[in-house]
Amino acid sequence: MIGHLIDGRRVEGRSSFEAPVAGGGRSYARATAADFQRALAALEHGRPPAESLLAEAAHLVEDDLAWVDDVAAALGIPAEDLPERIAKVVPVPPGSGHRGSPTTMLLAAHWTDGVGELGRRLLGALASGAAVLLLSDRRLPEAADVWADALLDAGLPPGRLSLLHGAELGDLASRADAPDRARLTVDDERAAVELRAAVGERRWAFDWPQGRVRRAGSSGLETPRRAFESAFGARAALGGLLPGRTTVLEVLEAEHAGWVDALVPLVDAALRAASGGARREPVPSPDAALRRTFADAVSRLVEQGATPVALAEHRGQPVFAPSLFVNGESWMEPVKQLPCVPVLVVRRVSDEPA
């Protein structure tokens, strides 16, 4: 069992969970309320660490390629297809120093962060002088684990960082001994609203990796292939685990048919690659809660009049994988608030005046 990191030492848990990694599963400790108390008590904020220390940690992560295969295995895609925002390690920007009073901060990793995005969040928090309680994501605990090891190896004082695996965010949000600040990424806006209600007036910030409405032909969406890459994370669409920034694509009336005709084979090819060539076989999928979120979004889109033109199914049920819908309207609830699921909705809009 791979334990938590508290006060610079590995601490095993009373129970564990399995995480998918290259070559098979790996057992990680599951955090309890007592673990949370110990991890929080071990933190001591103060002067920001030297930029050279944070840069050294980034180099250690970048030089240790072992995590690449683990992250790819957890996401169900080839290592060479990891998007830059997931895999590229970026050192803390020069000049990032102490800002305001030091705090004790909770930072929850998310499976869409990978190693790259998590590093940007974590190094920035440490550079501000905060002591960080880092929570790994059960679907991808390796990302948080590799950063914690690298930072301690680079010389970060043990009291500046604690790491817990398998923590329940909802249980932590209502605790009276919660950190001064928290930054979490959750799978959809509904989850953020529920957690925000639980923490009341405390300084907890929530993000959710959902897409937005963008116009076909705009920057980054110049062609159907670029739109596909933006929506599904380029070739990382294999497995359907990495939706990108585009959720709703607006296409002018005169160009609508051509864009849809070009997008369908791209999504179909991703589905075939993810399922080993069989369109209707299951593909790698995240946890059960996110599968249910995806199935609910698909069902509501269909009920409100959108038409699926590329969608994987297994035994009559939608499979968590890249999917394409047309006839999406702005009033549709799933179009307005799509969670972090691999759905691209194409909206037809009136031609711009001459």
Side-chain angles (χ1 to χ4, degrees):
M1 177 194 302
I2 298 177
H4 316 300
L5 270 170
I6 301 176
D7 203 18
R9 297 186 297 271
R10 287 286 180 180
V11 178
E12 291 195 358
R14 289 186 292 180
S15 62
S16 63
F17 64 95
E18 294 293 319
V21 298
R26 184 177 294 165
S27 177
Y28 281 82
R30 189 186 300 273
T32 64
D35 293 326
F36 181 80
Q37 287 182 324
R38 292 175 61 189
L40 197 58
L43 295 179
E44 298 178 355
H45 54 66
R47 291 178 59 85
E51 291 177 4
S52 59
L53 186 155
L54 300 180
E56 173 63 18
H59 288 311
L60 289 173
V61 173
E62 194 171 32
D63 292 342
D64 178 11
L65 298 180
W67 58 266
V68 175
D69 289 337
D70 289 346
V71 171
L75 297 176
I77 62 176
E80 60 270 19
D81 287 342
L82 287 172
E84 185 174 276
R85 67 184 176 89
I86 295 290
K88 185 176 181 181
V89 177
V90 179
V92 66
S96 296
H98 183 73
R99 298 189 182 93
S101 300
T103 60
T104 301
M105 180 176 181
L106 181 147
L107 178 63
H110 192 265
W111 59 283
T112 58
D113 289 342
V115 173
E117 184 62 29
L118 176 59
R120 284 183 280 274
R121 293 168 181 258
L122 178 57
L123 296 181
L126 292 171
S128 74
V132 178
L133 172 53
L134 178 62
L135 307 182
S136 74
D137 189 310
R138 293 185 192 180
R139 293 160 288 195
L140 194 55
E142 296 80 13
D145 209 61
V146 70
W147 272 115
D149 274 338
L151 284 160
L152 293 176
D153 288 346
L156 185 73
R160 293 299 177 86
L161 180 67
S162 292
L163 168 66
L164 294 180
H165 294 296
E168 292 287 349
L169 297 182
D171 293 343
L172 300 182
S174 58
R175 295 179 63 92
D177 57 351
D180 304 323
R181 296 170 52 209
R183 189 67 182 263
L184 301 91
T185 300
V186 294
D187 285 328
D188 56 50
E189 186 175 13
R190 186 182 310 169
V193 170
E194 291 173 354
L195 281 172
R196 185 176 285 114
V199 302
E201 298 301 318
R202 282 180 288 180
R203 298 175 62 193
W204 284 45
F206 299 93
D207 303 305
W208 47 94
Q210 69 186 86
R212 59 180 186 230
V213 177
R214 299 182 73 194
R215 182 64 63 91
S218 61
S219 177
L221 304 172
E222 294 88 351
T223 65
R225 178 169 291 279
R226 292 294 299 275
F228 167 83
E229 291 173 352
S230 178
F232 301 115
R235 291 192 296 168
L238 300 178
L241 295 181
L242 296 174
R245 294 170 299 170
T246 300
T247 297
V248 180
L249 181 69
E250 292 185 335
V251 182
L252 297 178
E253 181 82 30
E255 302 171 1
H256 181 268
W259 275 73
V260 172
D261 287 346
L263 284 167
V264 168
L266 293 173
V267 177
D268 275 341
L271 293 176
R272 287 193 297 272
S275 60
R279 167 74 181 272
R280 292 182 175 270
E281 289 299 311
V283 296
S285 57
D287 61 18
L290 201 52
R291 290 198 300 270
R292 289 193 296 270
T293 299
F294 174 77
D296 179 60
V298 168
S299 175
R300 287 184 293 134
L301 281 168
V302 172
E303 288 175 358
Q304 296 179 24
T307 304
V309 292
L311 176 69
E313 294 181 327
H314 180 63
R315 296 179 180 175
Q317 298 297 316
V319 174
F320 190 98
S323 56
L324 177 66
F325 283 76
V326 296
N327 304 326
E329 299 297 338
S330 59
W331 53 263
M332 292 180 178
E333 181 185 351
V335 170
K336 290 189 293 184
Q337 295 182 337
L338 269 172
C340 186
V341 292
V343 174
L344 175 60
V345 178
V346 176
R347 285 184 57 201
R348 190 194 315 257
V349 294
S350 299
D351 291 343
E352 296 175 335

